[in-house]
Amino acid sequence: MTDSRLAGFYNLDLAQRQALLTKETGLDLGPIFGVGGLSAAQAAAMIENVVGVFGLPLGIAANFVINGKDVLIPMAIEEASVVAGASHVAKLVRESGGFRAEADPSHMIGQIQLVDLVDPAAAERALLAAKTEILAACDEVNPRLVELGGGARGMELRRLEHSPFAPMLVVHLIYDTVDSMGANSVNTVLESVAPMIEAISGGRARLRILSNLADRRLARASCTVRPETLRFEQYAGTQVRDRIVEAWAFAAADPYRAATHNKGIMNGIDAVVIATGNDWRAVEAGAHAYAARRGRYEPLSRWSTDDQGQLVGELELPIAIGIVGGATRSHPVAQASLALMQVRSARQLAEIVAAVGLAQNLAALRALVTEGIQRGHMGLHARQLAMSAGASGVQIEQIARRMVEEGVIALERAQELMQADSEA
Ligand code: MEV
């Protein structure tokens, strides 16, 4: 993709948008254009007791430049304004050079809970002495992943003193899952090596499961925005910039606000995670646990001003997602989404997801510190209804404006206005 701007995309109807996207990308995006992309038979092979398939709108966020590359972002989400917000902010940020993003290697943490330890200190010594042997045993479980560059990377011990069952020892296995999210690989390794860990430590292994606080697999995104690009109606760019920093300070000082601030970030993150068939509950769990890592719930992003007066945004959170395995492979929309973004590795996908999260955060803050979110939200909703009622070109804006003025934003009203228009 050489240019993610997709001129006029927003004003096209559904079929025109699909045609433009196909022309611009040269890809077969059939699954994305279909109703959910998944047949009931495919769904039945994924989970139990299947009776149907649940669809979500899939939109394309335009204008993104991430690490110097244009990228079109597929977003699966039911909430209006999110895709428009991301596209709008991506346009502002591209004027200042786009987003920068980076992701750690795919190091997941697997936990083995050891109980019934007679001598925890001796157990620790024995486990540390056998570390090489334990890691080698881990690598024997999935030689294919080791061939692909993954496998055991380390072992750490954590003594939990504050449990009513103390002393409890937890073995952390650090395991590189390369391009997969890795829950299955990690859990298989943990279950395989648990008897060995029991024999060495003299304890009993209870839980053997990965941790969703994937803080060895962080992704970071940042952007620098010239204040003049933030200008909006009566608000000067510098004023919007300062209010955004002030809004961030509110989130930094108050967990009630931080939760909502982070929800805005997750609006963008989850939408891409879902569109690529990844486990969004895992990403959500990791994000919120990371937000509370200092013992207080905090915003995942930070907004400040640099020496040149530019607005600087930074975001960091665990993003454990993959491009192989599970639904990323079996779901046709996930495959098409990955092809659309030209993603080649799990790390690259995590970088994109982080950039979208930061964009979404800026979109929300920018609206909140100026007109509020309702006006834009209602305007967008009215446009969508006008288009669903068959309006095109300038008619979309006319009908949408009329509904907003009347305060009646409904499909029936859009249809009536269309009817009146055609009779005039
Ligand atoms: C709504 O889905 C998200 C926002 O509440 C985020 C925020 O308040 O920052 C607008």
Side-chain angles (χ1 to χ4, degrees):
M1 164 74 9
T2 51
D3 191 343
S4 63
R5 274 174 294 186
L6 295 184
F9 198 58
Y10 181 67
N11 288 319
L12 302 178
D13 68 24
L14 184 61
Q16 289 168 329
R17 262 187 235 129
Q18 293 174 344
L20 180 68
L21 198 60
T22 305
K23 182 167 152 274
E24 289 293 320
T25 62
L27 292 169
D28 170 15
L29 296 169
I32 285 190
F33 301 156
V35 184
L38 196 67
S39 69
Q42 283 168 313
M46 290 170 80
I47 65 159
E48 313 74 38
N49 296 1
V50 168
V51 292
V53 176
F54 181 90
L56 272 179
L58 192 127
I60 304 293
N63 304 319
F64 271 86
V65 172
I66 303 170
N67 293 336
K69 268 185 67 186
D70 277 59
V71 51
L72 289 170
I73 315 283
M75 301 180 79
I77 187 160
E78 87 298 344
E79 185 175 331
S81 305
V82 170
V83 177
S87 302
H88 181 66
V89 157
K91 195 168 168 188
L92 305 185
V93 174
R94 80 181 282 136
E95 287 173 32
S96 305
F99 293 91
R100 299 171 296 277
E102 54 160 34
D104 292 340
S106 307
H107 289 181
M108 294 301 284
I109 297 170
Q111 298 191 295
I112 299 180
Q113 176 199 26
L114 285 176
V115 296
D116 298 343
L117 288 160
V118 183
D119 183 349
E124 280 173 349
R125 282 194 301 276
L127 286 166
L128 290 174
K131 184 170 166 177
T132 313
E133 211 182 302
I134 295 169
L135 296 186
C138 292
D139 278 346
E140 274 167 29
V141 180
N142 191 344
R144 174 88 189 109
L145 194 69
V146 174
E147 261 169 48
L148 291 170
R153 291 289 176 269
M155 186 193 74
E156 290 162 11
L157 304 178
R158 294 175 56 237
R159 189 115 52 110
L160 305 183
E161 302 289 3
H162 300 294
S163 156
F165 295 94
M168 192 187 283
L169 193 60
V170 181
V171 179
H172 272 198
L173 171 70
I174 318 296
Y175 192 81
D176 189 340
T177 63
V178 195
D179 281 326
S180 65
M181 184 275 188
N184 273 331
S185 331
V186 171
N187 294 338
T188 305
V189 169
L190 295 174
E191 291 191 5
S192 305
V193 300
M196 180 182 187
I197 303 268
E198 285 183 328
I200 295 169
S201 66
R204 291 279 138 279
R206 288 276 190 274
L207 303 195
R208 295 143 299 159
I209 189 78
L210 104 162
S211 168
N212 286 120
L213 176 50
D215 60 3
R216 304 299 175 91
R217 199 175 180 176
L218 300 175
R220 297 163 206 90
S222 61
C223 64
T224 308
V225 189
R226 286 198 304 274
E228 49 285 12
T229 55
L230 294 167
R231 190 163 45 85
F232 176 69
E233 294 185 351
Q234 75 269 34
Y235 305 95
T238 48
Q239 195 178 15
V240 177
R241 175 201 64 195
D242 293 346
R243 288 182 180 201
I244 288 172
V245 175
E246 190 184 66
W248 171 80
F250 175 16
D254 178 15
Y256 286 91
R257 172 57 205 155
T260 323
H261 179 102
N262 289 344
K263 192 274 183 182
I265 294 172
M266 301 314 286
N267 273 344
I269 289 185
D270 286 344
V272 187
V273 170
I274 293 171
T276 55
N278 274 289
D279 180 347
W280 75 95
R281 288 88 54 211
V283 176
E284 282 279 343
H288 299 294
Y290 193 65
R293 69 193 178 284
R294 287 188 270 256
R296 210 167 62 84
Y297 190 88
E298 293 176 299
L300 290 162
S301 66
R302 179 185 180 85
W303 293 96
S304 57
T305 308
D306 70 9
D307 326 340
Q308 283 110 56
Q310 304 184 101
L311 178 69
V312 179
E314 294 157 287
L315 172 68
E316 179 181 82
L317 76 164
I319 300 190
I321 52 176
I323 61 164
V324 295
T328 55
R329 264 286 150 83
S330 59
H331 200 300
V333 172
Q335 281 294 298
S337 293
L338 292 171
L340 180 65
M341 291 186 282
Q342 299 179 339
V343 161
R344 306 264 177 272
S345 68
R347 283 171 84 172
Q348 195 192 349
L349 180 58
E351 289 168 0
I352 292 176
V353 166
V356 178
L358 188 62
Q360 211 67 59
N361 187 211
L362 180 54
L365 296 183
R366 184 173 172 273
L368 286 167
V369 302
T370 56
E371 59 175 352
I373 59 161
Q374 281 314 92
R375 194 181 113 196
H377 189 73
M378 285 306 165
L380 277 172
H381 185 46
R383 278 179 61 93
Q384 292 304 334
L385 292 175
M387 289 168 86
S388 302
S392 61
V394 285
Q395 220 180 9
I396 302 172
E397 215 49 59
Q398 283 164 356
I399 291 181
R401 196 173 322 118
R402 182 83 186 271
M403 286 196 291
V404 171
E405 278 162 12
E406 289 174 355
V408 184
I409 300 170
L411 183 60
E412 296 71 41
R413 184 63 189 139
Q415 284 162 340
E416 279 167 22
L417 290 168
M418 279 292 292
Q419 181 74 26
D421 217 31
S422 62
E423 285 165 9

